Amino acid sequence: MEATSRRGRSCVVVLVVAITMWVLTSCGDSVGHEIDSAAVAIPGVAATPPMGWNSWNTFGCGVDERTVRAQADALVSSGLMAAGYRYVVVDDCWQATARDASGRLTAAPDRFPSGMAALGAYLHQRGLLFGIYTGAGTRTCAQLNGIYPGDTGSRGHETVDAATFASWGVDYLKDDWCSSEADTVAQRDAFVAMRDAIRATGRPMALAINPNSGVTATDGVPGAVRDWGGVATTTRLTNDIEATWRSGQDVSGYRGVADIADAARDPGATVGPGRWLDLDMLEIGVGSSLTAEEERTHLALWAMAASPLMAGNDLTQMSTATRDLLASPGILAIDQDPAGEIARSVSADGWTRLRRLADRSTAVSLTNPTGSPRTMTVPRDLVGSQGSAVDAWTGVVAAAAGRPIAVVVAPHDTAVLRISRGS
């Protein structure tokens, strides 16, 4: 009788455990896999938003090791590395079209003849950090779109791929969804598998995910409707950027600077050290579709959102104006502010945004989305009556302590003020 009772209790325990696990995996993403939680995915990385350069916007599938080395050298010689741009990220198409006999990824031999470990060593010798790309599914985005052959995504190979990347000295991994299916469980499992594989290597690699590639969702793409901060170091907020003010595309297409800025007006995700929202790579100096004012808005609103800043231009050919904009010290200081807060809109149209900073000052951005110059004001009750307002672009005082704050903003431009707390 006692043995039967013990067996009965054991069955109850097993049943309770089974039901609990089913609830966690089927209904409780935030508990089971740390979606929509306050966790940090990879401890010890990205105390501030990552800054660097990515190959895709300019070079696409034409990237090769000579190009990457030249861009890395330009990052150093231009002073952008000293300004904070340290990650050099080799995006899609670096890989051979098939895995080797042991199931490992290898570099395309014609374009990366020295191999990826040698490239990583080259970057590290210059004080830079090494970033690389993979697909979260069975194919990368270029493979999915038919512009590069093979099926070398990381799904099902996360453990071996993370170990391979670690052996090459990789510091940053871009993991791209690349599928028309937006099933949360499938995405969660793929990204969590890579996160856990990175953790197991013992190497502190930042994990940058894009859960939106290829996804069509009229009610918002996954990066906008879920908080992935417990799964990844950085999470893309929207679909891919292009070098235009507004794209005119539907939700599955490329997004212009203003489109992404709209999406970032009041994001729901929690950001801070080790978990950032990524507004996508910078299009500053890429082509000529953006005006100088629109490029300023691009950098300003990315900084206000504490977004990673990944330049995408040809650093060896950039103009002095592009270099100086990318290196804007007052704007980069806001992006890299250690408090790690994100800007929130404080106007009905969403184009005046406020961000509290670690020194207890306040950053305010004023964007003019119209086609005519516009006088824009900052109500003193939002920022305190006693602090002075300094133009973050120039360092010049825009309004003395206690005085009204008003600036004239050109079409599609953004003024950024840093307002002290005052005495």
Side-chain angles (χ1 to χ4, degrees):
M1 183 70 178
E2 179 62 21
T4 301
S5 178
R6 283 198 300 268
R7 284 196 300 271
R9 287 196 296 268
S10 298
C11 290
V12 170
V13 170
V14 170
L15 180 61
V16 169
V17 170
I19 292 172
T20 301
M21 292 305 296
W22 179 85
V23 169
L24 291 178
T25 57
S26 301
C27 307
D29 295 342
S30 62
V31 177
H33 286 75
E34 299 174 12
I35 296 178
D36 297 329
S37 78
V40 172
I42 311 292
V45 299
T48 58
M51 295 173 59
W53 175 86
N54 181 291
S55 63
W56 185 258
N57 284 359
T58 295
F59 299 101
C61 278
V63 66
D64 58 30
E65 71 177 42
R66 289 185 60 188
T67 297
V68 176
R69 291 186 181 202
Q71 297 298 314
D73 292 345
L75 203 60
V76 176
S77 63
S78 67
L80 288 179
M81 184 186 80
Y85 293 86
R86 295 188 62 205
Y87 288 94
V88 175
V89 183
V90 185
D91 211 286
D92 205 350
C93 306
W94 63 266
Q95 65 276 25
T97 58
R99 293 173 178 270
D100 68 13
S102 299
R104 291 187 293 263
L105 293 170
T106 60
D110 56 332
R111 289 179 291 109
F112 292 89
S114 302
M116 304 312 281
L119 181 59
Y122 185 90
L123 299 175
H124 291 153
Q125 289 164 7
R126 285 150 182 77
L128 296 164
L129 297 169
F130 182 23
I132 206 166
Y133 172 100
T134 193
T138 58
R139 291 181 287 178
T140 71
C141 281
Q143 291 168 342
L144 179 72
N145 293 326
I147 61 176
Y148 194 74
D151 297 279
T152 55
S154 286
R155 191 67 183 119
H157 302 273
E158 289 87 358
T159 299
V160 67
D161 287 357
T164 299
F165 299 146
S167 73
W168 292 344
V170 168
D171 305 293
Y172 174 107
L173 177 64
K174 178 178 175 180
D175 198 11
D176 217 349
W177 176 240
C178 302
S179 174
S180 60
E181 297 182 7
D183 180 75
T184 301
V185 173
Q187 288 192 323
R188 176 198 66 193
D189 290 348
F191 289 128
V192 165
M194 184 56 78
R195 179 201 67 186
D196 292 348
I198 289 173
R199 287 176 175 175
T201 69
R203 183 171 181 82
M205 278 182 267
L207 176 60
I209 68 169
N210 179 5
N212 311 320
S213 287
V215 173
T216 300
T218 57
D219 56 347
V221 291
V225 299
R226 304 299 298 269
D227 187 341
W228 296 85
V231 174
T233 311
T234 75
T235 303
R236 277 276 302 281
L237 177 64
T238 69
N239 274 304
D240 293 354
I241 192 172
E242 62 180 349
T244 188
W245 179 245
R246 286 203 182 273
S247 66
Q249 300 293 323
D250 64 20
V251 72
S252 66
Y254 284 92
R255 315 303 291 153
V257 169
D259 302 317
I260 295 174
D262 282 340
R265 62 182 291 177
D266 286 301
T270 300
V271 306
R275 46 182 298 144
W276 307 103
L277 270 182
D278 180 6
L279 274 56
D280 206 358
M281 298 168 287
L282 298 175
E283 295 281 8
I284 294 167
V286 179
S288 57
S289 298
L290 294 173
T291 67
E293 293 78 14
E294 289 165 353
E295 288 190 341
R296 281 162 49 94
T297 291
H298 188 0
L299 186 68
L301 294 187
W302 268 232
M304 288 293 289
S307 173
L309 300 178
M310 292 289 175
N313 58 309
D314 184 346
L315 301 172
T316 67
Q317 302 293 324
M318 69 179 161
S319 66
T320 300
T322 292
R323 184 266 170 208
D324 290 348
L325 176 58
L326 288 171
S328 301
I331 305 301
L332 299 189
I334 293 171
D335 181 74
Q336 296 291 294
D337 186 75
E341 292 195 17
I342 194 168
R344 304 289 177 183
S345 63
V346 291
S347 61
D349 66 1
W351 289 107
T352 299
R353 301 179 186 183
L354 182 150
R355 178 178 172 183
R356 304 295 183 186
L357 304 176
D359 66 358
R360 302 177 73 187
S361 65
T362 302
V364 178
S365 62
L366 303 134
T367 301
N368 177 8
T370 73
S372 302
R374 183 178 176 186
T375 298
M376 302 184 72
T377 62
V378 180
R380 275 287 181 181
D381 60 355
L382 290 177
V383 296
S385 61
Q386 299 305 311
S388 61
V390 174
D391 186 330
W393 292 110
T394 65
V396 174
V397 174
R403 303 294 298 169
I405 303 172
V407 292
V408 177
V409 185
H412 295 185
D413 201 357
T414 295
V416 183
L417 303 174
R418 188 166 184 147
I419 303 166
S420 62
R421 182 171 178 268
S423 56

